Amino acid sequence: MEFSALAVFISFVAGFVSFISPCVLPLVPAYIGYMGGRTTHTVSTQIAAGAGGGTQTISQGTPMSLRFNTFIHGLFFVAGFAFVFVSLGLLLTAIFTGIDERQNVVLATDIIGRVGGIIIIFFGLHFMGVLPSVFARIRKNQDTLDNPIVTVLIALVVVAILLWAFIIPEIAATVIAIFVLWLVLGGGFTQPGAFWMKALSTVERGLYSDTRKQMTAQGGGGYT
């Protein structure tokens, strides 16, 4: 396959426009800060250790080696992004294999748009402070959850949302079956109060826990 100079130029312009788009450009400072934070943290720790007269052994490294190390980690960082998005593309292709090719893109776009919309609304309510207020009110009146009817009502609402989000019957049925199995095995009908409080605690841990890996000055972080 031959690539003309015009094709290379058009590809370059398309890549540049994608880079400066509002979806990508605001992420660049965070990306640079994350990748450069390893070197910054190492240098600051070395200065603090030297000022305090500590005896901790810290890998010095030359400025060039530190830059090269950051560059290599940057390559793996980008490779990780590429791996995730390629995997998602292959997964969607596998899911929609056998469906009419003309409906393929439409169905995938609809499902991603609807599921993504639900997630955005959920996090939007969280950042607005609505969810914390609701969670606090639920904990204050947790006795009302100790009723199987509450589980049934919640299950009906969730099933309706899943049917709307996953418009393909086979996918929707699979997701709903997993949800119902989770309710049954987790005790949603036998011990609804304890079940929903545990689920609420899990959601709160997911929203408020700090999952960032703390960097070490010894440079122990691997490429993975």
Side-chain angles (χ1 to χ4, degrees), residues 110-186:
D110 285 345
I111 291 178
I112 294 175
R114 296 185 182 197
V115 174
I118 294 173
I119 295 175
I120 291 174
I121 292 174
F122 175 81
F123 283 109
L125 293 175
H126 170 63
F127 282 113
M128 290 170 59
V130 176
L131 291 185
S133 177
V134 173
F135 292 160
R137 186 169 301 180
I138 291 176
R139 289 191 177 279
K140 186 177 180 180
N141 303 278
Q142 55 182 307
D143 294 338
T144 59
L145 296 176
D146 198 13
N147 191 334
I149 297 179
V150 175
T151 300
V152 174
L153 294 177
I154 295 176
L156 291 176
V157 173
V158 174
V159 168
I161 294 175
L162 293 177
L163 286 174
W164 175 81
F166 298 95
I167 55 180
I168 299 179
E170 293 81 2
I171 300 179
T174 302
V175 176
I176 292 174
I178 295 174
F179 171 70
V180 174
L181 186 63
W182 173 63
L183 290 178
V184 174
L185 297 181

Side-chain angles (χ1 to χ4, degrees), residues 6-82:
L6 179 61
V8 174
F9 175 74
I10 293 176
S11 299
F12 173 79
V13 172
F16 179 75
V17 172
S18 299
F19 177 78
I20 63 175
S21 66
C23 297
V24 177
L25 190 59
L27 300 177
V28 175
Y31 166 77
I32 296 176
Y34 177 80
M35 298 309 304
R38 294 171 52 87
T39 302
T40 304
H41 184 77
T42 300
V43 173
S44 62
T45 306
Q46 291 174 0
I47 295 175
T55 59
Q56 182 183 10
T57 302
I58 300 175
S59 59
Q60 297 294 328
T62 63
M64 184 58 67
S65 65
L66 292 175
R67 292 181 181 180
F68 181 75
N69 188 32
T70 301
F71 173 74
I72 297 299
H73 277 82
L75 291 181
F76 276 81
F77 192 91
V78 174
F81 264 102

Side-chain angles (χ1 to χ4, degrees), residues 77-99:
F77 192 91
V78 174
F81 264 102
F83 174 77
V84 170
F85 284 105
V86 170
S87 299
L88 289 175
L90 293 176
L91 178 62
L92 289 175
T93 301
I95 291 176
F96 293 104
T97 299
I99 302 176

